[in-house]
């Protein structure tokens, strides 16, 4: 949602797209401090290629970057996670691009839940209508993202364990 609050033609020179190692690994403010290059990080957790294409299309509506850096890891590891789509769909304004991404999301959704997946994108009450008994006070607190100055970069101090062995990592590498 922070991206949509940028001023139109706000002079992004380089944009980054891709999954979490982009989101957590490329800090636009550090890049600007060291090189003077204005960048924006459009990474998101487990970002599928369809989401990357959607974000690139949205970027080009108002920005004219000289370079777009796209991490293509998801061309080789296309695992569907609802959150990887919802983080973007839930914050994007309605457009033809959003409809196309919603159709892709619905086509990847588990078959038994397919009928409500597309409707739930545009009508959140439909998505959550059977969750009333699970709600807690935290569900009603507004999440405040005062991170506009980071230009899309997400700072995290948590450490996530790797579930692969050293042998597996070496084999993958």
């Amino acid at each position: 949602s922070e991206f949509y609050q940028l001023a139109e033609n706000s002079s992004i020179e380089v944009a980054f797209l891709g999954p979490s190692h982009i989101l957590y690994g490329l800090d636009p403010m550090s890049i600007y401090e060291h090189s003077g290059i204005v960048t924006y990080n459009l990474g998101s957790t487990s970002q599928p290629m369809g989401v990357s294409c959607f974000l690139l299309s949205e970027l080009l509506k108002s920005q004219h970057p000289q370079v777009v850096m796209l991490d293509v890891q998801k061309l080789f590891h296309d695992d569907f996670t609802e959150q990887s789509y919802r983080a973007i769909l839930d914050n994007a304004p309605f457009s033809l691009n959003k409809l196309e991404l919603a159709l892709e999301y619905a086509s990847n959704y588990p078959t038994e839940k397919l009928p409500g997946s597309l409707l739930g994108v545009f009508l959140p009450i439909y998505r959550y209508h059977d969750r009333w008994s699970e709600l807690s006070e935290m569900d009603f607190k507004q999440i405040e993202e005062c991170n506009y100055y980071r230009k899309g970069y997400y700072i995290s101090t948590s450490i996530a364990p790797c579930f692969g062995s050293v042998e597996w990592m070496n084999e993958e590498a």
Side-chain angles (χ1 to χ4, degrees):
S1 61
E2 295 169 1
F3 169 73
Y4 290 106
Q5 295 175 21
L6 284 174
E8 202 165 304
N9 296 314
S10 62
S11 74
I12 294 174
E13 296 173 274
V14 179
F16 302 106
L17 297 156
S20 58
H21 53 274
I22 298 295
L23 175 64
Y24 296 108
L26 293 166
D27 181 1
M29 296 309 291
S30 291
I31 294 170
Y32 182 77
E33 181 182 359
H34 290 96
S35 67
I37 298 171
V38 178
T39 65
Y40 199 90
N41 187 331
L42 285 163
S44 62
T45 303
S46 296
Q47 188 174 97
M49 289 306 295
V51 170
S52 295
C53 291
F54 167 78
L55 289 171
L56 178 59
S57 179
E58 292 292 290
L59 171 75
L60 295 176
K61 285 180 181 178
S62 62
Q63 303 295 316
H64 305 286
Q66 296 169 9
V67 175
V68 174
M69 297 188 71
L70 172 63
D71 181 295
V72 296
Q73 170 190 339
K74 288 297 182 168
L75 285 175
F76 308 103
H77 303 285
D78 189 26
D79 50 333
F80 175 82
T81 61
E82 181 177 9
Q83 183 57 28
S84 63
Y85 283 88
R86 294 305 302 221
I88 305 305
L89 284 168
D90 290 350
N91 291 295
F94 184 77
S95 67
L96 184 57
N97 286 342
K98 181 175 180 173
L99 179 59
E100 289 173 1
L101 182 61
L103 289 170
E104 178 183 327
Y105 162 74
S107 72
N108 286 306
Y109 210 77
T111 310
E112 66 276 5
K113 295 182 178 182
L114 183 61
S117 62
L118 187 57
L119 190 55
V121 168
F122 298 104
L123 298 171
I125 191 72
Y126 185 82
R127 178 176 174 215
Y128 296 114
H129 78 280
D130 61 350
R131 238 188 110 220
W132 297 109
S133 63
E134 302 170 15
L135 294 177
S136 70
E137 184 179 337
M138 290 302 295
D139 290 301
F140 295 96
K141 291 188 184 265
Q142 183 175 358
I143 298 172
E144 296 208 18
E145 293 283 337
C146 298
N147 196 26
Y148 302 110
Y149 70 96
R150 299 305 309 182
K151 306 296 183 196
Y153 172 64
Y154 190 82
I155 298 172
S156 175
T157 57
S158 64
I159 299 172
C162 175
F163 298 104
S165 66
V166 171
E167 292 78 22
W168 177 83
M169 295 291 281
N170 287 335
E171 188 176 307
E172 285 294 309

